[in-house]
Amino acid sequence: MQRGSSVEDAFREVARPVVALGSDYADGHVIAPHRHRRDQLLYGATGVVLLATAAGAWVMPPERGMWIPAGIVHDVRIMGRVRMRSLYIEPGVIRNMPGHCQVLGIPPLMRSLLAEAVFVPAEYDPAGRDGALMALIQHEIPLLPALPLSLPLPAHKALAGLCRSFLLAPTPHTSIDAWSEAAGCSRRTFTRLFRRETGLSFVAWRQQACVMAALPRLAAGQPVTAVALDLGYDNPAAFTSMFRRILGTPPGAYIEREA
């Protein structure tokens, strides 16, 4: 465990329900597994954040958020320069939030509130302007829309290692035979084990991983054709068909809607 504990040490004795911090991270930075005593809401104005727990992985594109409940061990990988804004919230203060990690949409009002919150001192006056800002944030968090940017990870050690490696370099051409051999089991055993561990077939999981890898690049304005070919698809049409099947809309329409 590392940075999570040291970050919260700065305000461990602060008797305020919500505290905000801002941090900048370089491309490729990795935050080792850690957990927080408080609930956390991450927001990245730029760059992409890949967060993983024992239960799954989540990708947070630019101008999106991530809900991380208190006590959940997670690691973080930074892709591109990330201007991160974090809220640390006393457990139980925000109700009706999930007990698992969740990527969230961050509308313009919440972006503005987060931009202001990082300049609020930890020992702010609850009855003053700073207190009103933090109170409004508490009202807005339960209204943030959930986004389908998660992927289950198996508890099985060998499978988990394969899945985490795949997330860093996904391709639609990885085969069940190759993975079953790497896992040291038969194709039939692998298929059963993978579905039991993730709730998905290997093919469905692989396709969702490719979508997760594509979203940050599409959000950054890269052409669909370039993203599709870089991921290993034979043509943009095959990628678009897979994308539509998983998210219910073609890549261009999805990015336009989310923007």
Side-chain angles (χ1 to χ4, degrees):
M1 304 291 168
Q2 62 156 34
R3 185 177 173 83
S5 298
S6 62
V7 166
E8 287 187 293
D9 284 344
F11 50 82
R12 185 171 297 279
E13 304 302 323
V14 173
R16 297 293 183 271
V18 182
V19 180
L21 292 174
S23 304
D24 292 342
Y25 294 98
D27 180 29
H29 185 79
V30 175
I31 302 175
H34 64 284
R35 58 177 168 235
H36 304 285
R37 185 186 67 79
R38 297 187 180 213
D39 296 328
Q40 183 181 15
L41 177 67
L42 286 182
Y43 167 70
T46 60
V48 173
V49 173
L50 176 64
L51 180 144
T53 73
W58 292 259
V59 60
M60 187 180 86
E63 299 192 336
R64 303 301 191 271
M66 181 93 69
W67 176 256
I68 308 172
I72 290 184
V73 177
H74 58 284
D75 59 68
V76 177
R77 183 177 296 273
I78 302 298
M79 294 179 281
R81 181 176 173 81
V82 171
R83 293 178 54 229
M84 190 178 292
R85 303 295 177 257
S86 295
L87 298 174
Y88 294 91
I89 307 154
E90 283 291 336
V93 167
I94 308 297
R95 302 196 176 190
N96 301 318
M97 295 302 289
H100 54 80
C101 297
Q102 178 69 63
V103 180
L104 302 170
I106 305 293
L109 173 60
M110 191 64 177
R111 294 176 197 172
S112 297
L113 293 174
L114 287 163
E116 287 289 320
V118 294
F119 296 107
V120 172
E123 297 279 3
Y124 58 83
D125 178 6
R129 185 256 186 189
D130 292 340
L133 186 148
M134 291 303 198
L136 180 55
I137 283 176
Q138 293 174 55
H139 285 292
E140 290 297 314
I141 289 176
L143 304 179
L144 301 177
L147 302 179
L149 300 177
S150 65
L151 195 66
L153 290 178
H156 187 277
K157 186 174 181 179
L159 290 187
L162 289 168
C163 288
R164 285 173 178 266
S165 296
F166 185 84
L167 285 171
L168 300 178
T171 169
H173 300 303
T174 298
S175 69
I176 293 178
D177 290 332
W179 277 45
S180 60
E181 181 177 351
C185 57
S186 69
R187 179 189 177 100
R188 184 173 182 179
T189 299
F190 173 85
T191 300
R192 288 179 178 174
L193 179 63
F194 197 91
R195 184 178 288 278
R196 187 179 72 215
E197 291 279 321
T198 66
L200 297 170
S201 70
F202 171 76
V203 171
W205 189 94
R206 183 185 64 192
Q207 289 176 338
Q208 288 196 30
C210 286
V211 167
M212 286 180 60
L215 283 173
R217 298 181 58 182
L218 294 170
Q222 295 186 28
V224 173
T225 298
V227 173
L229 295 179
D230 284 351
L231 283 175
Y233 283 85
D234 296 329
N235 56 71
F239 170 75
T240 296
S241 175
M242 180 275 298
F243 193 101
R244 185 199 297 269
R245 185 166 57 253
I246 291 175
L247 294 181
T249 184
Y254 180 86
I255 296 303
E256 182 178 347
R257 183 185 71 196
E258 291 302 316

